[in-house]
Structures are given as C-alpha cells and as structure tokens.
C-alpha cells in the first residue's frame, strides 16, 4: 500500500493538490492512503521550503507547485515500480 | 536518439511560442482602431459625448489590461522556472556575509523566486537554519509579496511605465532598508525557539532539470490560473473607474488625500495594513482615488500597505516569530512605507 503525503500549511493550493492526489489514486485503482500534513516541523523534515509538496512512501517527488493530474498519476505509477 | 527528439520538441515549442507572440502583438496593435470602430461605427455611440468616450475607454482598457497581464505573467513565470526557493537559499547563503549586499540580493531574488505566502513559514525556517542572517531573510519576505507581477502590470497599464518602475524601485528600497534595520537590531532571540532547534537538510530543487516544453506548460497553466482569478476584478474595477470618471467631482479627495494633507499618508497606511486584497482588486480603486485628487504618494503607500502587510501573512508568520519581533516587523515596514509615501509626494 502506498502512503501519499501532501505537505502544506492549509492554503488553497495544498487542498487542490490533495484533491488531485485522491483523484489520481481513484483513477488508478491502487491502494493508497492520502493525507494532508500541515505541521511545520513535519514538513521541514522532508527538506521542503516551498509548499505544496508531495511525498510518496517517504520520498519527496514534487515541491512548490500544483502538479497536473497526469503528473501525479506518473509519480504514483513510478512509485509502484 | 533521445537528444534528437528533445531538440525537435524544443524547436516545436519555440515555434508555437513565436506564433503566440505574433498573435499577441497583432491583437495589441489593432486594439485601439478595432475598439473605436466597434464603439462608434458598430454600436453607433457618438464621438465626443461622455457616454461614447466612456464606452470606448472601457472596451479598450479591459482587453488591453488582460492582454498585458497574460503576456507579462507568462514571461515572468518562464523566468521563475529557472529559480526556486532552494536555489535562492544557496545563492544567499554564499553572499550574505557583508551587511547590505545580502539584503540587496535577497530583495531582488524576492521578485524572481516563485513564492506563495502560504509557504512563508517553511521558507523562513529554511533560510535562517542554513545561516542566512535574519535581516536578509526579512528583505526577501518583504520584497516577495509587495513586488508582485499583477500589481506591476496593472500600474503599467493604467498609469504608464514610470509609475510602475517607481513602484518596483520603492518596493525594493523598503525591503532592503527594513531588512538592514531588522538585522542591525539583532532580534534573533525573538524568533520562536523551536526554529533554532530544528534539523534542516534541504532537498535538491527540481528547477534545473526542466525542459522548455515543461517551462512553457507551467507558464501557460499559471497564466490561466492567475488571469482566471483576477479578470473579474479587473472588469469591475475598470467599470467602476469609468463610472466615477463622470459622476464624482474631480477634486473631491484633494483635501483629505492630496499633498497638502500631511496626515493622509500615515492614515492611508494604518487603514491599509489590516485590509487584505489582491493587487487586482486594489489598483482600480487606487486609480479612481488618484483621479479624484489623491496624491500618488499617498495612493501608492496605501497600496503597499494593503498588499505587503496583510493580516493573513502576519498570522502565518506568528508561528515562527514571537509577538515582539512581529511588532517590530510591522512597525519598521509600516514606517518605511510611510516615508516612501512622503518622498513621492515631495518629488512628484
């Protein structure tokens, strides 16, 4: 099972990324847990300075932007390999 | 093989970009004759009448501002794909030893680094943890929101390049000077303690690895996002501006917001600080104020206070700054904005 974390302190863009991640997971039909991490200390642990960021299975895959749905899908399929 | 196809894709991307640039230029160049034709020949408004001129003004200004916004936001987003918060941190870390130089660089990087006020906290921690002085960090945090592309484009479109340049120059100056002062005061003890105890290892940024196709795609989607968000404000703002144009006496505000009213600058800043609005919402109002006798310095000071010192950003920064430092931050930036307002009133 995949563990997808969306890092961000609760701004509109962060919620957008969270929604996109959930949509990608549903489309791919993979088993994954999507969670929004808004604790600053937790966010900094991944070395991220610009949010929203995406972490899949503890690996940072995107930061400082709202990726397109297709890009998130690619990130998830890459993590599955 | 791989190189070939990526070179081909680059050529294709540049070809599409070239076409878009030509289309943009043609639309911009023909805007005035076309809107005059539509207003006076198709819609049959009479030339010289107030209603006719207002309609022509509205039909010309709205597409002009929207064209300028799309073009400029696209270009600046392309520029920003070459920068990232991580890269800015590296650049600053290496050059912030001498007082002043770091502040100047930080303020300038504030313009080109992609920044959203919601990531102000991780950015702040990342900067100070890697040894960038507090004052230099503040120069960045002040410049980034104040000098935003929407504000600059609207000022350029509605007031001309001189006012736009003046706005950028004063935003930079305020960020540099306020940063130097905060640095000199040595207020590190008023940063929340947990910030100093954190272990921070920056992840490598992904800005350098992008292809041109990706840069253009990101610029196109950012432009769509921003223009989609602000176009309604622009239309309403210009409509209100066109309306006020005719119905409010020209010097109605001269007494309260003109040069002679010395207290108008601090009052405008005090009113502006708790207000929160985006640049698109505030600039049409500012343009109406100026038309009715408010002086440029007072109006610009009001605008900077609204955009640069907003309540939501202050609340976000409270998570890493103790109340004392937050108060110093607001005080120093507020005073710098007030002085800039006086300076403009004096020289313009």
């Amino acid at each position: 099972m995949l563990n997808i974390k969306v890092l961000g302190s609760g701004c509109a863009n962060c919620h957008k990324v969270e929604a996109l991640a959930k949509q990608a997971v549903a489309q791919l039909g993979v088993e994954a847990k999507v969670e929004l991490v808004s604790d600053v200390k937790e966010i900094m642990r991944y070395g991220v300075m610009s949010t929203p960021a995406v972490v899949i299975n503890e690996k940072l895959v995107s930061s400082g932007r709202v990726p397109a749905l297709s890009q998130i899908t690619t990130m998830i399929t890459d993590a599955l390999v | 093989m791989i190189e070939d196809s990526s070179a081909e894709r680059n050529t294709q991307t540049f070809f599409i970009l070239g076409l878009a640039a030509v289309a943009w230029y043609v639309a911009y160049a023909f805007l005035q004759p076309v809107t005059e034709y539509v207003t006076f020949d198709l819609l049959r408004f009479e030339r010289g009448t107030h209603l006719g001129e207002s309609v022509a003004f509205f039909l010309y200004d709205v597409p002009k501002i929207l064209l300028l916004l799309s073009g400029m936001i696209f270009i600046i987003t392309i520029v920003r794909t070459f920068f990232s918060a991580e890269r800015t941190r590296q650049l600053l870390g290496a050059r912030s030893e001498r007082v002043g130089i770091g502040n100047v660089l930080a303020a300038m990087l504030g313009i080109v680094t992609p920044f959203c006020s919601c990531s102000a906290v991780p950015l702040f921690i990342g900067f100070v943890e890697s040894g960038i002085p507090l004052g230099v960090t503040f120069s960045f945090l002040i410049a980034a929101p104040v000098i935003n592309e929407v504000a600059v484009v609207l000022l350029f479109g509605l007031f001309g390049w001189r006012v736009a340049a003046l706005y950028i120059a004063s935003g930079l100056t305020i960020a540099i000077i306020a940063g130097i002062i905060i640095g000199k005061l040595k207020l590190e003890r008023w940063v929340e303690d947990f910030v100093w105890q954190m272990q921070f290892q920056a992840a490598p940024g992904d800005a350098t690895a992008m292809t041109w196709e990706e840069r253009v795609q990101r610029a196109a989607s950012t432009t769509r996002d921003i223009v989609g968000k602000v176009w309604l404000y622009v239309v309403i703002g210009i409509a209100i501006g066109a309306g006020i144009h005719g119905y409010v006496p020209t010097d109605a505000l001269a007494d309260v917001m003109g040069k002679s009213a010395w207290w108008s600058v601090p009052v405008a800043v005090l009113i502006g600080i708790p207000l929160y609005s985006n640049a698109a919402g505030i600039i049409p109002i500012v343009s109406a104020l100026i038309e009715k006798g408010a002086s440029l310095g007072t109006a610009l000071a009001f605008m900077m206070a609204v955009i640069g010192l907003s309540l939501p950003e202050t609340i976000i920064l409270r998570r890493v700054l103790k109340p004392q430092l937050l108060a110093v931050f607001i005080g120093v930036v507020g005073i710098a904005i007030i002085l800039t307002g006086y300076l403009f009133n004096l020289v313009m």
Side-chain angles (χ1 to χ4, degrees):
Chain A
M1 185 169 119
L2 286 178
N3 183 353
I4 302 174
K5 288 177 181 166
V6 177
L7 313 181
S9 35
C11 58
N13 280 342
C14 313
H15 292 297
K16 214 188 280 175
V17 175
E18 189 192 7
L20 283 170
K22 284 184 175 158
Q23 202 182 333
V25 167
Q27 264 182 16
L28 289 168
V30 291
E31 248 189 87
K33 193 176 91 183
V34 179
E35 60 175 324
L36 185 70
V37 177
S38 53
D39 180 56
V40 186
K41 288 171 207 167
E42 191 69 11
I43 293 175
M44 301 306 288
R45 221 162 54 77
Y46 296 98
V48 165
M49 280 185 8
S50 30
T51 55
V54 181
V55 170
I56 301 181
N57 285 350
E58 299 306 300
K59 186 170 171 271
L60 181 68
V61 289
S62 158
S63 74
R65 62 195 174 105
V66 179
L69 180 62
S70 62
Q71 287 172 315
I72 299 189
T73 311
T74 315
M75 291 169 200
I76 294 175
T77 44
D78 283 352
L80 284 171
V81 178
Chain B
M1 190 62 191
I2 296 164
E3 266 180 37
D4 273 2
S5 77
S6 80
E8 208 169 280
R9 293 191 112 175
N10 271 350
T11 319
Q12 208 176 20
T13 307
F14 287 128
F15 182 70
I16 293 169
L17 266 187
L19 280 186
V22 171
W24 189 95
Y25 180 77
V26 169
Y28 196 79
F30 283 94
L31 200 53
Q32 183 134 33
V34 168
T35 49
E36 293 211 341
Y37 173 76
V38 169
T39 316
F40 300 116
D41 295 319
L42 274 186
L43 299 174
R44 296 185 179 282
F45 283 101
E46 256 177 81
R47 264 176 214 278
T49 62
H50 176 67
L51 185 64
E53 297 300 330
S54 291
V55 171
F57 168 83
F58 180 80
L59 287 183
Y60 171 65
D61 254 28
V62 169
K64 182 182 92 172
I65 299 288
L66 291 180
L67 269 176
L68 281 174
L69 267 180
S70 318
M72 279 294 297
I73 291 172
F74 186 87
I75 292 170
I76 191 146
T77 313
I78 292 273
V79 172
R80 280 182 181 161
T81 60
F82 290 93
F83 291 84
S84 68
E86 288 76 15
R87 207 164 165 198
T88 292
R89 188 190 61 98
Q90 279 176 345
L91 285 170
L92 285 177
R95 286 173 185 78
S96 52
E97 295 304 313
R98 269 190 296 170
V99 178
I101 306 236
N103 297 85
V104 172
L105 194 66
M108 288 179 9
L109 285 168
I111 304 176
V112 291
T113 307
F115 175 77
C116 141
S117 61
C118 51
S119 47
V121 165
L123 192 125
F124 180 89
I125 298 175
F127 274 25
V128 296
E129 274 295 296
S130 56
I132 296 172
L134 199 58
V136 174
T137 305
F138 270 108
S139 282
F140 180 90
L141 279 180
I142 295 165
V146 169
I147 310 174
N148 80 51
E149 62 278 18
V150 176
V152 173
V153 171
L154 285 179
L155 285 176
F156 174 73
L158 296 171
F159 300 106
W161 68 270
R162 229 173 267 174
V163 174
L166 212 59
Y167 180 79
I168 296 176
S170 51
L172 280 175
T173 312
I174 289 170
I176 292 165
I177 291 177
I180 290 177
I181 292 174
I182 292 174
K184 285 268 181 219
L185 292 173
K186 302 226 177 299
L187 302 173
E188 280 76 4
R189 64 184 183 283
W190 285 342
V191 172
E192 288 291 352
D193 300 325
F194 82 88
V195 172
W196 304 116
Q197 289 148 13
M198 278 176 67
Q199 295 290 314
F200 178 73
Q201 190 67 50
D206 58 355
T208 44
M210 288 176 84
T211 66
W212 270 98
E213 200 183 357
E214 286 170 321
R215 292 182 208 281
V216 169
Q217 273 169 4
R218 189 183 297 185
S221 82
T222 304
T223 308
R224 254 198 314 273
D225 270 7
I226 295 182
V227 175
K229 235 182 275 176
V230 305
W231 73 270
L232 197 61
Y233 290 99
V234 173
V235 172
I236 293 173
I238 293 174
I240 291 175
I244 288 178
H245 190 79
Y247 298 99
V248 180
T250 308
D251 283 331
L253 289 172
D255 289 341
V256 280
M257 289 187 84
K259 282 186 191 182
S260 53
W262 64 268
W263 44 266
S264 70
V265 178
V267 169
V269 171
L270 283 180
I271 294 173
I273 291 175
L275 282 184
Y276 176 63
S277 168
N278 55 18
I282 201 75
I283 293 177
I285 298 174
V286 167
S287 108
L289 291 180
I290 289 180
E291 184 163 335
K292 296 308 162 195
S295 64
L296 187 63
T298 309
L300 280 184
F302 175 68
M303 211 177 110
M304 283 183 180
V306 173
I307 302 176
L309 281 174
S310 67
L311 208 54
E313 199 198 335
T314 318
I315 292 169
I316 287 174
L317 281 176
R318 171 66 190 91
R319 283 155 79 169
V320 282
L321 307 181
K322 291 180 183 169
Q324 297 96 317
L325 183 49
L326 207 56
V328 171
F329 167 64
I330 296 172
V332 169
V333 178
I335 290 170
I337 294 176
I338 290 172
L339 292 179
T340 314
Y342 280 128
L343 189 70
F344 280 144
N345 281 348
L346 209 67
V347 299
M348 296 292 284

